[in-house]
Amino acid sequence: MTTTAAAPPPPCPPMVLVFSASDPSSGAGMQADILTLVSLGCHPLSALTALTVQDTVGVQSVHPVSAEVLEQQARTVLEDMPVLAFKIGMLGSVENVLAVAEIVSDYPEIPLIFDPVLASGRGDELSSEEVISAIREMLLPQTTLLTPNAPEARRLAESDEDEGEPSIDVCAQRLIEMGAQYVLITGTHENTPQVINTLYGADGVIRRDQWERLPGSYHGSGCTLASAIAGCIAGGASVEDAVRDAQDYTWQALSNGFRAGMGQFIPDRFFWARGDDEQPGKEGISVDAS
């Protein structure tokens, strides 16, 4: 009797561990991270940092998970599965910042993409000055790529010596001096005809991309971009290529967004699975690269 050798198991998709808060609307937070990573062919692992009460209009309350439970979630999956990238969103408390900083310090070889969620789209305060101070001291020195919008960059990089509002170039330089290897500052909040996103490294501007400014306001655009970058890096892309491809993906998700409730639009992270093969998006324009 002949026997047939068992077929080898299929390869695992790239795995990304996300530290983020839950959003019941699935527009932002952990749910947005999961949707984005799955859309890009990754397998998301999750370490929940907080429960929130929110909808597409705004955040009503934030309830941080204990640092002990957060650490148990992360270390359990890290000991079981091969993680190729970390993605960090809202952390919820100083204790959680410290816990995540300690966890990722044990895995310095894993790229860390950090979206510093400091406020909601409506402007609800989500991070105290104590949390911001802990982020500067404990997480920025371990960050591969930081993805703040312009207000977040200014808040993270502000100095008592500032006489006015620092430029985003100055903010990026300061954030890199604090330890981040790369900084991608997004321009959705700036008063420019097009959205200009700029990637900085230790030697200055690496690329600057322009995108058509879409009408309306979107819930979870920053989460989508940072998770898409993490997914691309987990899939083997360089930081610069991941930033380029993730911007394109995010713009497409936003341009196909839908208004599910009474507030902001929700990006459609599965735009490619619906309707025509030809999507109405456009390529970004790189206007400065070195």
Side-chain angles (χ1 to χ4, degrees):
M1 185 174 70
T2 59
T3 59
T4 303
C12 292
M15 299 190 190
V16 178
L17 175 56
V18 179
F19 299 88
S20 190
S22 174
D23 172 9
S25 78
S26 293
M30 181 65 77
Q31 288 87 337
D33 299 327
I34 289 172
L35 286 167
T36 299
L37 289 166
V38 170
S39 178
L40 293 175
C42 294
H43 181 72
L45 311 175
S46 59
L48 202 63
T49 61
L51 298 174
T52 70
V53 178
Q54 64 176 299
D55 54 19
T56 61
V57 177
V59 179
Q60 298 182 34
S61 60
V62 177
H63 308 273
V65 170
S66 74
E68 180 182 2
V69 171
L70 171 57
E71 182 175 5
Q72 289 174 355
Q73 292 176 80
R75 292 201 182 278
T76 298
V77 295
L78 280 165
E79 291 170 5
D80 183 46
M81 291 176 272
V83 171
L84 295 179
F86 292 127
K87 189 271 179 178
I88 299 177
M90 190 180 78
L91 293 170
S93 69
V94 171
E95 293 79 9
N96 285 353
V97 174
L98 301 179
V100 171
E102 183 176 352
I103 292 163
V104 299
S105 70
D106 291 337
Y107 300 87
E109 74 284 358
I110 298 178
L112 190 160
I113 293 77
F114 185 13
D115 175 25
V117 181
L118 306 184
S120 72
R122 185 175 65 177
D124 306 293
E125 195 73 23
L126 299 177
S127 295
S128 66
E129 288 303 320
E130 290 77 14
V131 167
I132 292 173
S133 178
I135 285 171
R136 291 190 191 111
E137 294 178 20
M138 305 301 296
L139 278 176
L140 289 191
Q142 302 188 69
T143 296
T144 306
L145 173 65
L146 186 71
T147 64
N149 58 37
E152 290 167 340
R154 291 189 173 102
R155 189 170 175 194
L156 283 169
E158 66 186 356
S159 168
D160 293 336
E161 299 176 359
D162 290 334
E163 295 183 359
E165 192 174 74
S167 70
I168 62 169
D169 290 345
V170 168
C171 291
Q173 179 183 359
R174 290 177 182 174
L175 293 169
I176 287 172
E177 289 172 353
M178 291 179 193
Q181 293 180 41
Y182 299 91
V183 177
L184 174 66
I185 299 182
T186 59
T188 53
H189 290 72
E190 299 293 90
N191 187 24
T192 55
Q194 292 185 306
V195 174
I196 302 174
N197 299 335
T198 309
L199 175 65
Y200 300 85
D203 297 325
V205 174
I206 296 174
R207 64 181 297 127
R208 183 174 282 131
D209 298 297
Q210 293 183 1
W211 297 90
E212 178 184 342
R213 186 174 290 280
L214 297 167
S217 177
Y218 295 84
H219 187 46
S221 56
C223 305
T224 305
L225 177 60
S227 290
I229 294 171
C232 290
I233 289 176
S238 67
V239 168
E240 184 174 354
D241 287 348
V243 165
R244 178 199 64 207
D245 293 346
Q247 286 182 85
D248 181 70
Y249 169 85
T250 301
W251 194 92
Q252 297 274 10
L254 296 178
S255 68
N256 288 278
F258 53 93
R259 194 175 188 197
M262 295 180 290
Q264 295 177 302
F265 286 80
I266 292 178
D268 185 359
R269 284 99 184 180
F270 284 86
F271 61 86
W272 51 264
R274 311 185 206 282
D276 298 335
D277 292 336
E278 297 276 339
Q279 291 296 330
K282 63 176 264 201
E283 293 293 326
I285 304 169
S286 178
V287 297
D288 188 2
S290 58

